[in-house]
Amino acid sequence: MGNMKYFHYKNGQLYGDNVSLTKIAKLIGTPFYCYCANAIIDRCNELKEAFSDIDVLIAYALKANSNQAIISLIGKQGFGADIVSLGELERAKRANIDGKKIIFSGVGKSEEELERALNLDIFCFNIESEAELIRLNNIAKKMGKIAPVSVRINPDIDAKTHAKISTGKSENKFGIPYKDALNIYKKIADNKNLNAIGIDMHIGSQILDLKPFENAFTLMEQLIISLRNEGHNISHFDVGGGLGIAHGQDEKEPDIRQYAKIIRRLSKKLDIKIILEPGRWLVGNSGALITKVEYIKNGANKNFIIVNAGMNDLLRPTLYEAHHDIWPILEVKNHNKMTADIVGPICETGDYMAQARLLAKVEQNDLIAIMNAGAYGAVMASNYNSRGLVAEILIYNDRFDIIRERQNIDELIRADKVPNWIK
Ligand code: LLP
């Protein structure tokens, strides 16, 4: 397993780097997310190395994990940011990410968002519709600015991933149909406050097979040539994110060097700058969600391990049938196994972390780790069932820091206002 290096057993206990997870649990309680900084730094270096001889901007997709500490750590490695909201823009700014390294993606950018991003002179707007193009031109005109843009093309390619995270098929809401591309670039050229500088795609997330990327790149290559023939100055190709990680033993990660090789060929042939928007690949395997077994219950046909983390803390198993490995915090010596559903305390049948999972026998009050939860874990959490957001911890060698306090219930309730007429 890719993350064995960062999460490993020492003296019978699970450690993140050189810190005992039991020790953290004793101090701050459970559940909590913890991330190993070294896992993230290593991934950043691996990616930089694979692309070292390519003219590239790596824009971390903040949505995967937008904790300020994580953004700052990745920014410190020289990376930019791929953002999709005003909130993410402000987060990138506060983590000192240079506007010149910020890409703005997303289908629904508001006027306020476009204005703020223009003010910060970001590198590029990835436009997803004609209506957005018109709105952006109008705002830029009012501000006396020229907006740098790319158009996100929908290449109608099946990324062979879960339907809810596939974005590059014609039935998905994303991008502009391939056949309309020349037309839309013509329109951009007619709008004086827009400047087309690149082209963009993103076909989906958690993609383990490089073939869909290759197929999409081939289509995009033809389009870039046609656009240049029409006189458009396409100086960069944003290939999006989407590289998957192994969430368990059955999955195999794509080879990053192979991915870089495919892109290198393209970049040299077209003499074009490359933008990458990786999210999950950088942070996914750095993190785990640590939770406590509240009860073991033997149902009519199944065993249930009821833990104190629920679908509001980690939605992926419920929403995408995602597999996450589950490791006990105490190393199991006697190899006793049990098959069980690992479920949370939320009042929903869909509230599970794993189903029919064979795992080491655990007992009430034991701690377990839900692995590979560094991406799309904490960021997708909610307050459902009035549960406060859990704490987040960053481990670095033998130190650890709280990078987000556990949300307190009082704070949660205080946000609501009861009108006087009810009181
Ligand atoms: N660029 C764009 C335009 C995107 O929409 C996304 C992800 C990325 C980059 C980063 O993709 P990554 O490298 O992380 O695959 N919540 C889902 C994943 C949703 C991804 C949405 N877009 C999950 O937990 O699997």
Side-chain angles (χ1 to χ4, degrees):
M1 286 297 302
N3 54 14
M4 254 333 244
K5 208 167 120 198
Y6 311 102
F7 290 97
H8 56 100
Y9 291 96
K10 196 162 110 185
N11 307 327
Q13 301 253 352
L14 189 61
Y15 274 62
D17 241 340
N18 291 325
V19 182
S20 150
L21 300 181
T22 311
K23 183 174 134 191
I24 302 177
K26 274 195 184 128
L27 268 161
I28 67 157
T30 55
F32 63 89
Y33 276 99
C34 68
Y35 314 110
C36 291
N38 282 320
I40 299 174
I41 296 168
D42 285 356
R43 284 292 222 187
C44 289
N45 287 334
E46 239 183 283
L47 197 58
K48 276 200 280 194
E49 212 171 293
F51 284 83
S52 59
D53 59 344
I54 304 173
D55 181 14
V56 71
L57 166 65
I58 309 175
Y60 167 55
L62 297 199
K63 62 169 82 68
N65 187 325
S66 51
N67 185 292
Q68 270 331 105
I70 304 291
I71 304 173
S72 303
L73 177 65
I74 294 177
K76 222 173 133 183
Q77 316 304 311
F79 288 29
D82 168 52
I83 58 142
V84 292
S85 69
L86 185 62
E88 287 190 352
L89 180 58
E90 300 303 343
R91 281 186 178 278
K93 268 321 281 178
R94 270 188 234 183
N96 287 323
I97 293 187
D98 186 355
K100 284 279 154 260
K101 290 186 188 169
I102 296 178
I103 312 278
F104 202 159
S105 299
V107 291
K109 305 177 195 78
S110 71
E111 290 187 338
E112 185 192 12
E113 288 173 329
L114 293 172
E115 197 177 314
R116 176 75 174 137
L118 275 168
N119 248 325
L120 293 175
D121 292 319
I122 65 161
F123 177 69
C124 194
F125 293 84
N126 287 344
I127 282 187
E128 300 223 20
S129 65
E130 205 178 316
E132 182 186 342
L133 175 166
I134 295 164
R135 178 181 271 182
L136 180 58
N137 186 68
N138 287 341
I139 297 173
K141 193 169 167 186
K142 251 196 318 216
M143 297 171 69
K145 295 218 173 216
I146 310 266
V149 301
S150 272
V151 177
R152 175 165 173 183
I153 306 297
N154 184 325
D156 194 18
I157 293 262
D158 185 353
K160 304 215 170 54
T161 181
H162 191 275
K164 286 203 176 83
I165 49 175
S166 165
T167 55
K169 291 181 74 182
S170 60
E171 72 250 35
N172 303 137
K173 70 179 174 185
F174 299 99
I176 275 171
Y178 188 85
K179 62 170 178 42
D180 297 342
L182 290 179
N183 229 338
I184 199 134
Y185 274 88
K186 236 181 246 139
K187 288 204 173 111
I188 293 173
D190 291 341
N191 280 269
K192 292 199 180 51
N193 293 81
L194 301 180
N195 179 24
I197 60 168
I199 195 158
D200 169 48
M201 61 166 250
H202 172 76
I203 57 173
S205 193
Q206 183 54 16
I207 302 171
L208 294 171
D209 178 4
L210 292 179
K211 202 72 203 154
F213 284 116
E214 269 195 284
N215 294 342
F217 295 162
T218 306
L219 282 173
M220 296 295 281
E221 181 185 336
Q222 288 157 11
L223 188 55
I224 291 166
I225 294 170
S226 312
L227 285 167
R228 284 176 167 176
N229 284 341
E230 298 270 310
H232 301 289
N233 176 23
I234 308 295
S235 60
H236 76 247
F237 175 25
D238 182 336
V239 302
L243 273 182
I245 62 166
H247 284 96
Q249 252 117 11
D250 298 341
E251 286 178 334
K252 198 171 166 287
E253 269 186 27
D255 179 2
I256 193 70
R257 270 175 249 106
Q258 188 58 31
Y259 176 70
K261 195 172 153 190
I262 299 167
I263 294 175
R264 180 179 301 108
R265 207 186 305 131
L266 192 79
S267 149
K268 300 278 182 257
K269 196 165 153 199
L270 295 173
D271 186 21
I272 200 164
K273 182 187 173 89
I274 299 294
I275 316 278
L276 305 176
E277 301 172 353
R280 186 190 325 261
W281 196 85
L282 289 176
V283 294
N285 72 353
S286 76
L289 173 61
I290 313 304
T291 176
K292 187 179 88 177
V293 175
E294 294 286 6
Y295 302 101
I296 311 251
K297 170 161 140 173
N298 302 313
N301 315 305
K302 296 180 164 178
N303 301 312
F304 295 100
I305 298 173
I306 303 167
V307 298
N308 66 354
M311 64 190 272
N312 72 301
D313 303 308
L314 177 66
L315 188 56
R316 302 196 71 257
T318 304
L319 195 57
Y320 315 114
E321 282 91 35
H323 172 102
H324 286 264
D325 269 1
I326 293 180
W327 297 1
I329 299 281
L330 291 180
E331 192 170 21
V332 185
K333 292 270 159 57
N334 61 15
H335 300 294
N336 257 346
K337 298 238 156 127
M338 69 193 288
T339 299
D341 282 13
I342 294 87
V343 302
I346 306 269
C347 302
E348 296 235 14
T349 301
D351 178 31
Y352 53 81
M353 301 287 131
Q355 288 182 300
R357 185 69 63 85
L358 179 68
L359 78 173
K361 212 167 176 143
V362 290
E363 286 168 16
Q364 187 167 27
N365 295 325
D366 279 357
L367 300 180
I368 60 173
I370 301 167
M371 305 305 293
N372 299 299
Y376 306 110
V379 285
M380 291 178 76
S382 79
N383 288 126
Y384 189 37
N385 279 202
S386 285
R387 290 160 52 83
L389 299 182
V390 305
E392 289 176 88
I393 300 290
L394 185 65
I395 297 173
Y396 182 52
N397 300 330
D398 49 14
R399 66 170 295 156
F400 72 91
D401 295 272
I402 297 178
I403 58 170
R404 190 205 270 154
E405 297 279 355
R406 189 179 304 286
Q407 191 178 24
N408 115 2
I409 304 288
D410 210 44
E411 177 188 327
L412 206 149
I413 299 174
R414 238 185 302 124
D416 294 358
K417 301 279 172 260
V418 182
N420 272 337
W421 66 265
I422 300 179
K423 282 182 185 160

